[in-house]
Amino acid sequence: MMNLGELAIKTAIRDPGAPALIEPHLGIRRTFGELSERVELLAHLLQDHLGAGHGARIAAFTKNSLECMELYLACALTGTLLFPMNWRQSTSQNSLALQDADPSVVFYDAEFAAEAGALRSAVEQAIWIEWKPGADSEFEDLLRRMAATRGAFAPLPPPSSLLYDPYLAVSTGGTTGIPKCAVHSQFSYGATMINYMAAQRIDENDVFMMLGQFFHVTGYMPIAHLGMGRPVVITNFDADVTVDVIRQENVTGFFCIATMLPRLVASLMSSGLRTPSVRLAGYGGAPMGETVIRNAAELLKTDLMQIWGMSEFGTGTVLGPAAHNRAIRNEHVELLGSCGRAAVLSTIIVRDERGRPVPQDGRTIGELCHYGPNTMLGYWHKEQETSDLVRDGWVHSGDGATWDAEGNVYIVDRLKNMIISGGENIFPAEIEKLLANMPGVAEAAVVGAPDPEWGEIVRAIVVCSPGASIKRDAVISAVESELGSYRKPRIVDFVDALPMTPTGKVDLKELRALPVTDDVVRMPQA
C-alpha cells in the first residue's frame, strides 16, 4: 500500500502540467505540479509552523473545496489526524464534536465565519485559520510564507511509516444519536479505495466529479482518480448546476449519494439536456426506486453502478453495470432491488441471530455482516460502541438482508431504528428526547417514513399534554434549531395515545402503520 498523499500527487513527477483539480464555479484549475507544491507547503505548514504534525489532530469546517482536498493529502504526508466537520449538524452538535476531537488547529471556509465564531469557545486552545476559495485569505498568506522559508523545512516522516496510524475521522451516527466519528488509517482507507477502483474501472480519459461531502467516507473516490493521473472536478450538489458542470467539463463519472440521483434525473427530464460525456454513474447511500434507476439509464445513456457501504468500511458491495443491464433488459429485474455482491477486498455474509450464514435463497432474512482490510480502526473515543459493532473482525451492519445463490445482497430493513434520509444517518432517540422536553408534549415517537426522493423522511407522532395545543410548525422548528435541518420531521401527526406493547414499550410496528394525517414538508436542496 502506498501513502495516499504520495499516490495522489505522483503524476507531478512525469506530467506536472496535467490538470488535477478543477473548481468550475470560480474558474480555478490546478495542475498536478501546482497541487504537489501546495500539498507540500501545507504539510510543512502543519508540521513546522502550526505544530500539527505526526499524531496531532486538526479539523476542517467547510463544504467541498479544493482546499479540503489538499488538506486530505497533506495530512497523509504528515501523519495528522483530520476531522472534517459535518457542517449540516447544528451548532450545539458541532460544539460537542469539536470538544470530543480536541483539535489543535481548525480550518474553516469564510462562508462559515459566523458558525466558526460561535464554535471557538468549544476548543479555545485551537488555532483557527480561514480560507476563502478563489480569493486571498489567511490560509493563502500562510502558504506564501511557507514558500519563502522552503530551505528551512524539517523532513516529513517516511511516507510508508504512516500507513497504520489514525488518518481520517469521518462523520457518522451512533446508536445513541450523538456525534460520532469512524477513524480510518491510510491502510483501511486505501483498501476501500481499491474496492472502489476495481469497480469504477478508471481509464485514461476520465474526468471525475466529486459530489459527496468530504465529511463523509467518500473522499477516497477523488484520491483514486488523482492517483491514476485523472482530473477531479470539486463541486457541491445542485441538480441543475450539476448538469451544466457535467456538460462544461466533459465529466465521465460521478457518485450520487441518495437523493442526488432522483434530482439529477428530474433535472434532465425537465431541461431536455443530455450528458453524452458520462460513461459511468454511481449511486448509493439509500434505497433507490426502480423507476429512478430505469430513468437514469435512459436519460444518462450510460452504465450504472450501485455501492453499498458504511462510514466504518467504505465500499462493501457493488452492483455493477452488467447486473444493471441484465435487470433493465428484464432478464433479472429483481437485481434492481439488490446492492450487489462483495467488493474485491470485502467478504460479505448474511447471518442469523446465532451467527450462522442464512440460506442463499433470496428469502431468509439475517444481518448483513462485512469483513475486510477496509474496516476502520474504531470509533473515536467510543470503545464500547466499536466492540459492539466489530466482533472478531466482522462489522455487524444492523441491516436486515437476504442474499441469493449468486451472492447478490438485498437489504430488506434496518434491524435497528436508524433512519437514512438523503444518505444521512438520523436516530429517532435524539429527536424523541428533544420533543419530550418541549412544553405541551406528553409523549413523542419518531420513525422513518418511505419517500420516493429521500429514501426515508422523519415522521414524528406526538401526544399533547391535556389542555395543550401545539402547532406542527413549532415541532419542526424546535428540531431544526437544535439538531439541524436534515433531522427535522417532515411529517408531524398528532394522536391521542401511542400504541404500546404488552411490556410497556412503544409498538413501532403499529406506530408505522398509523395513517398519515399530515402533509409532507418538502425541504429545499442542500
Side-chain angles (χ1 to χ4, degrees):
M1 186 73 71
M2 187 177 187
N3 182 287
L4 297 181
E6 276 196 320
L7 174 69
I9 60 177
K10 65 182 177 63
T11 295
I13 298 172
R14 62 173 175 82
D15 194 359
L21 295 181
I22 300 167
E23 211 294 357
H25 313 296
L26 299 174
I28 302 173
R29 311 180 83 84
R30 288 185 184 146
T31 66
F32 273 97
E34 292 167 335
L35 175 62
S36 178
E37 180 180 14
R38 287 177 63 88
V39 169
E40 180 191 13
L41 293 175
L42 183 50
H44 284 285
L45 172 65
L46 291 173
Q47 175 186 273
D48 302 345
H49 183 70
L50 298 173
H54 189 202
R57 299 182 299 278
I58 66 171
F61 202 86
T62 176
K63 293 182 179 178
N64 285 354
S65 64
L66 305 192
E67 292 82 359
C68 192
M69 184 76 265
E70 292 164 350
L71 201 57
Y72 260 68
L73 305 181
C75 286
L77 295 178
T78 59
T80 307
L81 175 55
L82 172 62
F83 287 77
M85 302 302 295
N86 183 346
W87 53 266
R88 289 175 176 159
Q89 294 185 143
S90 66
T91 301
S92 61
Q93 287 183 308
N94 274 318
S95 178
L96 290 173
L98 276 175
Q99 290 173 24
D100 192 41
D102 194 24
S104 59
V105 182
V106 181
F107 294 91
Y108 67 95
D109 192 304
E111 178 182 357
F112 294 105
E115 183 83 358
L119 290 170
R120 283 177 186 259
S121 61
V123 282
E124 294 180 350
Q125 81 290 347
I127 300 169
W128 291 71
I129 298 173
E130 182 180 278
W131 64 49
K132 188 174 184 180
D136 205 9
S137 65
E138 181 183 6
F139 178 78
E140 295 297 331
D141 182 56
L142 286 169
L143 291 185
R144 285 193 293 269
R145 292 186 192 181
M146 296 308 298
T149 61
R150 191 186 300 271
F153 287 170
L156 294 171
S160 61
S161 71
L162 305 174
L163 297 184
Y164 299 94
D165 295 337
Y167 162 58
L168 183 68
V170 292
S171 177
T172 180
T175 55
T176 59
I178 62 176
K180 184 175 64 174
C181 290
V183 178
H184 281 272
S185 66
Q186 291 192 58
F187 182 84
S188 66
Y189 207 59
T192 200
M193 183 182 72
I194 291 172
N195 272 351
Y196 168 74
M197 293 175 76
Q200 183 70 14
R201 303 170 295 148
I202 300 169
D203 73 26
E204 61 184 8
N205 297 310
D206 276 351
V207 178
F208 181 74
M209 178 171 59
M210 178 63 172
L211 296 177
Q213 288 296 313
F214 276 117
F215 63 73
H216 281 315
V217 75
T218 51
Y220 58 81
M221 295 182 179
I223 295 176
H225 286 82
L226 291 173
M228 294 291 288
R230 302 312 307 149
V232 174
V233 179
I234 305 288
T235 187
N236 291 279
F237 182 78
D238 172 277
D240 294 341
V241 173
T242 295
V243 172
D244 291 339
V245 171
I246 292 172
R247 291 162 56 84
Q248 171 187 317
E249 301 295 340
N250 291 314
V251 169
T252 62
F254 51 84
F255 185 79
C256 287
I257 297 177
T259 61
M260 293 179 184
L261 188 61
R263 288 179 176 180
L264 191 61
V265 166
S267 177
L268 291 169
M269 292 180 73
S270 63
S271 68
L273 296 173
R274 294 297 177 261
T275 53
S277 63
V278 178
R279 71 165 187 85
L280 183 60
Y283 66 95
M288 196 64 61
E290 180 181 334
T291 300
V292 172
I293 297 172
R294 289 184 179 276
N295 285 341
E298 174 62 26
L299 293 169
L300 291 168
K301 297 191 182 305
T302 188
D303 284 341
L304 298 177
M305 174 181 70
Q306 181 185 173
I307 290 176
W308 169 82
M310 297 172 60
S311 300
E312 292 79 358
F313 53 78
T315 299
T317 69
V318 177
L319 186 73
H324 275 89
N325 293 337
R326 288 169 65 194
I328 289 169
R329 291 195 303 264
N330 295 320
E331 293 176 9
H332 289 278
V333 69
E334 71 279 359
L335 286 172
L336 294 182
S338 171
C339 59
R341 296 185 285 192
V344 62
L345 295 181
S346 294
T347 301
I348 294 293
I349 294 179
V350 182
R351 300 179 183 270
D352 64 18
E353 64 278 3
R354 296 184 181 180
R356 302 168 303 187
V358 303
Q360 291 182 241
D361 56 12
R363 298 187 305 274
T364 306
I365 299 174
E367 182 177 20
L368 182 54
C369 298
H370 171 277
Y371 184 91
N374 46 330
T375 298
M376 65 175 182
L377 297 175
Y379 292 127
W380 180 252
H381 284 172
K382 288 179 170 55
E383 293 183 7
Q384 185 59 53
E385 291 193 33
T386 300
S387 61
D388 289 344
L389 183 84
V390 186
R391 287 168 258 160
D392 296 324
W394 287 89
V395 174
H396 293 250
S397 73
D399 285 334
T402 67
W403 56 343
D404 64 22
E406 295 181 352
N408 293 300
V409 173
Y410 301 79
I411 296 176
V412 178
D413 197 359
R414 275 162 291 283
L415 301 179
K416 302 173 185 177
N417 296 329
M418 183 177 69
I419 300 166
I420 300 181
S421 182
E424 298 291 344
N425 295 347
I426 302 172
F427 294 87
E430 62 186 346
I431 304 173
E432 290 167 352
K433 181 178 179 181
L434 187 152
L435 294 179
N437 293 323
M438 185 176 176
V441 173
E443 292 180 294
V446 172
V447 294
D451 185 83
E453 182 182 11
W454 293 84
E456 288 181 304
I457 54 177
V458 176
R459 179 189 180 192
I461 297 93
V462 177
V463 179
C464 294
S465 302
S469 178
I470 304 173
K471 301 296 185 182
R472 64 192 291 272
D473 290 348
V475 173
I476 295 169
S477 177
V479 176
E480 181 176 18
S481 62
E482 188 65 26
L483 299 179
S485 179
Y486 73 91
R487 286 182 171 91
K488 71 184 180 185
R490 288 195 278 148
I491 300 174
V492 180
D493 288 316
F494 293 91
V495 296
D496 294 331
L498 298 177
M500 310 295 285
T501 67
T503 58
K505 297 182 179 180
V506 176
D507 190 328
L508 294 178
K509 183 177 180 180
E510 290 295 325
L511 196 68
R512 293 186 178 101
L514 290 175
V516 174
T517 60
D518 186 28
D519 292 329
V520 176
V521 178
R522 286 291 165 202
M523 296 203 315
Q525 294 186 19

